[in-house]
Amino acid sequence: MKNLKYMLVGIVFGLALTKGEAISWYRIQEMFHFQSFHMYGIFMTAVPVGALSLWIIRKLELRSADGQLIDAPVKPYHRGIIPGGLIFGFGWAFTGACPGPLYAQVGAGYLVTIVTFVSALAGTWVYARLQPYLPS
Amino acid sequence: MDFLYKPWPWYVAGPIIGLSVPALLLMGNKKLGVSSTLRQICAACYPANVPFLHYDWKKDSWNLFLVAGILIGGFVGGTLFANPEPTHLSPATVDLLHRQGIENLNGLMPVELFNWHTLVSVKGFVLMVVGGFMVGFGTRYARGCTSGHGIMGLAALQWPSLLATVSFFVGGILFSYFVLPYVLAL
């Protein structure tokens, strides 16, 4: 299965999210109240490590294992970024979870977060339904 | 094995999270992102007549493997090798949470708030159902979450991702200061 290697990345990613307590509801409240450096430390090391790796990959014009030339993602501006971002932030404060941690929280044995997850699916579905009417 | 039980400091967890960016790029030119899997699951399970959900979701099924892995990682780190001790939160946070009525600070989630019984109360419904809905709706509307915008987008120096990440934090700060206390008091 050619996709299994992505599962391996997911396992390490999920383990780091969990052991780093980035999926902790308490840590998220602590972060939003600026009471510890912990979560900011995670972001402030993860982003430069990602940026430096991407820079090296592009500088050396490396190819992926399946021979594609690696390109950086382009994330264009659109009008949903600020309202969508704020709405997600509201939900982040309530649930203590972003989409990645939603999966990790279920895995960590907090089975009731399946409800949060299903509700996130409902939110995605409603967005999809309303998309033609929303400014984008 | 001890390191599997202990929580990892930010300078260990952060770089490992960051390394998922080059790992995915080198394996198959894939861009880290998680919220797109919610759209895929919707497209796979109930596309109805919604144009946004009619696309070739199977073509991007690699990220369903990624999130299956995140679930397994959560199981290994949070169930098999769960930290037996309470989280080392700052004293100010412990004080705040106690003042908000949360006594038991063990594990990763406050079980007094997040359980099957509170789900049928207004408080639990708002936290889990309304909160989850906003996570799903907001990330799709912003076209990315803390992974896609906050890590991948920022690593690629995309200014709209910076705007998105700032919005995530502004929303979170506003709600945890001004709205959450009222929800917890319900």
Side-chain angles (χ1 to χ4, degrees), chain B residues 127-176:
Chain B
L127 290 176
M128 290 178 263
V129 179
V130 177
F133 187 91
M134 291 193 289
V135 169
F137 188 96
T139 52
R140 200 66 266 127
Y141 196 10
R143 291 185 203 159
C145 57
T146 19
S147 303
H149 275 308
I151 297 173
M152 185 74 245
L154 287 184
L157 311 178
Q158 297 291 300
W159 72 266
S161 289
L162 181 62
L163 193 61
T165 308
V166 170
S167 305
F168 299 162
F169 275 88
V170 169
I173 291 161
L174 285 176
F175 260 45
S176 58

Side-chain angles (χ1 to χ4, degrees), chain A residues 70-93:
Chain A
I70 294 170
D71 52 351
V74 180
K75 296 271 207 177
Y77 174 77
H78 63 100
R79 285 191 285 170
I81 286 201
I82 295 174
L86 290 172
I87 294 169
F88 162 53
F90 304 156
W92 194 9

Side-chain angles (χ1 to χ4, degrees), chain B residues 49-104:
Chain B
N49 281 323
V50 180
F52 188 71
L53 298 176
H54 282 271
Y55 69 107
D56 188 7
W57 61 270
K58 282 184 191 150
K59 202 169 139 275
D60 284 328
S61 55
W62 72 273
N63 62 12
L64 294 175
F65 285 81
L66 178 81
V67 294
I70 295 177
L71 196 122
I72 297 169
F75 174 73
V76 175
T79 304
L80 286 185
F81 299 100
N83 175 20
E85 296 186 10
T87 310
H88 283 282
L89 297 163
S90 80
T93 308
V94 173
D95 184 50
L96 171 80
L97 294 171
H98 282 330
R99 272 189 285 119
Q100 291 180 336
I102 303 163
E103 294 300 325
N104 179 357

Side-chain angles (χ1 to χ4, degrees), chain A residues 11 19 25-26 29-30 32 35 45 64-65 71 75 78 84 88-90 98 103 105 107-108 110 119-120 125 127 135, chain B residues 4-5 8 14 26 29 31 37 46 69 75 79 81 90 93 104 108-110 129 132 138 141 146 158 160 175-176:
Chain A
I11 292 173
K19 293 274 79 168
W25 190 89
Y26 312 114
Q29 303 309 328
E30 185 185 54
F32 287 143
Q35 289 166 332
T45 46
S64 60
D71 52 351
K75 296 271 207 177
H78 63 100
F88 162 53
F90 304 156
C98 346
Y103 292 95
Q105 284 180 347
Y110 297 93
S119 195
W125 196 91
Y127 168 75
Chain B
L4 273 174
Y5 285 101
W8 299 353
L26 290 169
N29 197 19
K31 281 83 181 165
T37 59
Y46 190 60
F75 174 73
T79 304
F81 299 100
S90 80
T93 308
N104 179 357
L108 297 161
M109 307 279 296
V129 179
Y141 196 10
T146 19
Q158 297 291 300
F175 260 45
S176 58

Side-chain angles (χ1 to χ4, degrees), chain A residues 2-15 17 99-101 103-104, chain B residues 16-17 19-21 23-25 27 30-37 40-41 60-74 145 147-148 152:
Chain A
K2 66 180 171 61
N3 280 329
L4 277 180
K5 57 188 182 217
Y6 301 118
M7 193 186 279
L8 202 68
V9 177
I11 292 173
V12 176
F13 187 81
L15 194 60
L17 284 179
Y103 292 95
Chain B
I16 293 174
I17 290 169
L19 283 174
S20 60
V21 167
L24 294 172
L25 288 171
M27 282 176 179
K30 305 297 187 204
K31 281 83 181 165
L32 175 70
V34 175
S35 56
S36 51
T37 59
Q40 277 176 295
I41 296 170
D60 284 328
S61 55
W62 72 273
N63 62 12
L64 294 175
F65 285 81
L66 178 81
V67 294
I70 295 177
L71 196 122
I72 297 169
C145 57
S147 303
M152 185 74 245

